[in-house]
Amino acid sequence: MAAVVHRLAGPALLAHRDGIRAVYAAAFAEPPWHAEPAEADGYLTRLAGDVERPGFAGAVALDGERVLGFATAWTSSTPLPGTRSYPRVTAALGAERAAAWLCGGTEVDELAVSPAAHGRGLGRALLEAVTRDAPDARCWLLTSVRADAAVRFYERLGWRRVTHPAPDGYGTAVFLGPGHPARAAAVLPSL
């Protein structure tokens, strides 16, 4: 049976929590994430609150009932919060660009595919499922600059990194989606 990607509302997505947990644990156990299995439990706790965010979109890739991947996104708040990676993002882009490019757009929070299901187009389909309704195609995401495979994946799909890596090799990369208006306006810094 071929895997099928379904876009789901919050409660329907949470019905797949066990499969999402398994994919999260497998996908983020490898470098550069090195996530411990307990972090997958923490993600499920966070996901239960995230589904209530304005503009939440979720998707799962299913092979029958087995979850092979998932993605989540929501509408970014204005201003960006002072938690998680947002202060670094605002510092890297500058407050004006962060507000203009990110606030009110669709932020992809998580995208994970089971390592055993890589190479089947599921990441692309999941990403498309959670970003297709982005207002004015304003979608964006963050990933680690050390996540080489993820960075290459987003670049292959036409996403553009708009932040420079930190000198120590650590840091957060901000990517704008292929149709983001900042790209069309040719206001992006060259990297």
Side-chain angles (χ1 to χ4, degrees):
M1 174 182 281
V4 178
V5 171
H6 301 275
R7 183 173 161 140
L8 301 172
L13 183 70
L14 292 174
H16 297 282
R17 69 176 47 86
D18 291 341
I20 290 170
R21 186 204 178 284
V23 169
Y24 187 99
F28 293 108
E30 299 178 3
W33 315 110
H34 303 287
E36 298 293 327
E39 291 179 62
D41 295 327
Y43 175 69
L44 288 182
T45 299
R46 184 166 59 92
L47 180 61
D50 289 345
V51 299
E52 302 299 325
R53 289 176 178 257
F56 179 85
V60 291
L62 298 174
D63 184 356
E65 293 296 313
R66 187 169 57 115
V67 176
L68 299 179
F70 70 93
T72 59
W74 53 69
T75 303
S76 302
S77 64
T78 304
L80 292 177
T83 58
R84 297 178 60 191
S85 297
Y86 299 116
R88 289 191 307 260
V89 167
T90 300
L93 290 175
E96 188 175 309
R97 281 184 177 159
W101 295 355
L102 310 182
C103 294
T106 297
E107 174 187 356
V108 177
D109 180 60
E110 294 290 354
L111 172 62
V113 174
S114 173
H118 285 182
R120 296 172 57 181
L122 299 177
R124 175 190 298 262
L126 288 162
L127 188 58
E128 203 286 317
V130 297
T131 60
R132 69 174 173 238
D133 296 332
D136 300 321
R138 290 181 62 234
C139 52
W140 64 281
L141 59 85
L142 308 174
T143 194
S144 169
V145 296
R146 296 183 64 163
D148 296 331
V151 167
R152 287 190 308 272
F153 169 76
Y154 295 125
E155 289 172 343
R156 273 195 318 271
L157 295 183
W159 288 66
R160 170 119 183 252
R161 185 170 59 178
V162 294
T163 53
H164 292 281
D168 60 6
Y170 291 90
T172 302
V174 179
F175 279 84
L176 300 182
H180 196 290
R183 294 177 60 152
V187 296
L188 298 179
S190 61
L191 293 180

